[in-house]
Amino acid sequence: QACIENIYMHPKWQKDDPEGGNDLAIVKLAWPVSLNMHVSPICLAPKDFEVMDSDYCVTTGWGKLDPIDNVDRFPALSQARVNVFKSQDTCEYHSDSILCAGDETGAGSCKGDSGGPLQCFRKQDSKWYLVGITSFTIGDDQGQTCGAYGYPTMFTRISKFHDWILGGMARHGDEDAEFGEWSDWTECSADCGSSGFQTRSRVCIGNGSCIGD
């Protein structure tokens, strides 16, 4: 588990206009996570990153597995191998800030997967790259919540926002706020054994905000 200290949304994001792009945020954790075989960092796609046919790309999430069932979340993390579309000829939402990915079987993201990663492994670099963030899908009026009419999933293109992400991390990542020492307990507000109480406090010191026990 990880505690979130703050969320910094992209200032140009508009919820009612997902096709406009800018669907991403920087999430700052209250304290570092412990890295292990299940938790590890991933490389940001560079500004000039273009997906190659030889890249192995997958999207992951806890969202719906069946676009027409009534289950919004799945108890286990799932993944799907997807192909990235290269132009508006194959996906009309393709742009410099949005990329599309899926395959002919309908694989892709669905309801409950928003914010999840599109990650690609590049063999010649021996690295996984964060290429996209699940943004939106296409549904229909028959209850299908994603993949309708053969549409793929649309992702925020990380390479477009490479500098914004690094700038936000630099601006907010150096916040060093932490709690000072606890004060002494106050005198009990009533006789012992009654409904009285005692309090103590501590001060947040440094730049940023303090979260924790």
Side-chain angles (χ1 to χ4, degrees):
Q1 294 182 344
C3 184
I4 295 174
E5 178 177 323
N6 215 332
I7 299 175
Y8 304 95
M9 295 292 299
H10 193 282
K12 294 184 178 180
W13 159 242
Q14 296 183 34
K15 185 176 181 180
D16 58 353
D17 183 27
E19 299 170 26
N22 307 306
D23 186 6
L24 77 163
I26 296 173
V27 177
K28 183 181 180 183
L29 302 182
W31 47 76
V33 297
S34 299
L35 301 182
N36 53 49
M37 65 180 296
H38 301 294
V39 180
S40 62
I42 189 171
C43 299
L44 283 180
K47 289 190 292 184
D48 60 350
F49 190 91
E50 294 290 341
V51 176
M52 303 168 59
D53 291 339
S54 57
D55 292 340
Y56 181 91
C57 299
V58 297
T59 180
T60 55
W62 281 273
K64 299 178 70 166
L65 296 181
D66 186 334
I68 60 174
D69 69 19
N70 294 320
V71 179
D72 288 341
R73 303 283 288 177
F74 195 68
L77 182 66
S78 301
Q79 75 172 33
R81 171 82 184 273
V82 293
N83 299 315
V84 176
F85 295 74
K86 302 296 181 61
S87 71
Q88 284 190 325
D89 293 335
T90 51
C91 177
E92 64 180 274
Y93 294 102
H94 176 94
S95 69
D96 65 342
S97 62
I98 294 176
L99 56 81
C100 312
D103 72 3
E104 62 277 0
T105 68
S109 300
C110 200
K111 186 177 181 181
D113 290 325
S114 295
L118 171 64
Q119 46 211 336
C120 296
F121 181 76
R122 181 156 292 178
K123 186 175 182 180
Q124 53 266 49
D125 295 344
S126 296
K127 292 179 180 178
W128 283 95
Y129 290 96
L130 179 61
V131 175
I133 299 173
T134 304
S135 180
F136 65 98
T137 59
I138 302 298
D140 62 19
D141 58 3
Q142 303 299 315
Q144 185 168 337
T145 55
C146 58
Y149 314 113
Y151 273 95
T153 303
M154 275 54 76
F155 298 84
T156 300
R157 188 187 296 269
I158 290 297
S159 58
K160 166 71 174 180
F161 301 95
H162 182 270
D163 287 349
W164 183 82
I165 295 170
L166 292 185
M169 291 172 63
R171 183 163 56 254
H172 303 295
D174 62 354
E175 296 174 350
D176 57 359
E178 62 181 1
F179 282 117
E181 296 296 324
W182 284 105
S183 68
D184 293 332
W185 288 102
T186 63
E187 294 293 330
C188 190
S189 62
D191 293 336
C192 292
S194 66
S195 58
F197 60 88
Q198 291 177 289
T199 63
R200 62 176 181 167
S201 63
R202 55 182 177 170
V203 177
C204 182
I205 303 169
N207 178 36
S209 58
C210 296
I211 295 178
D213 297 331

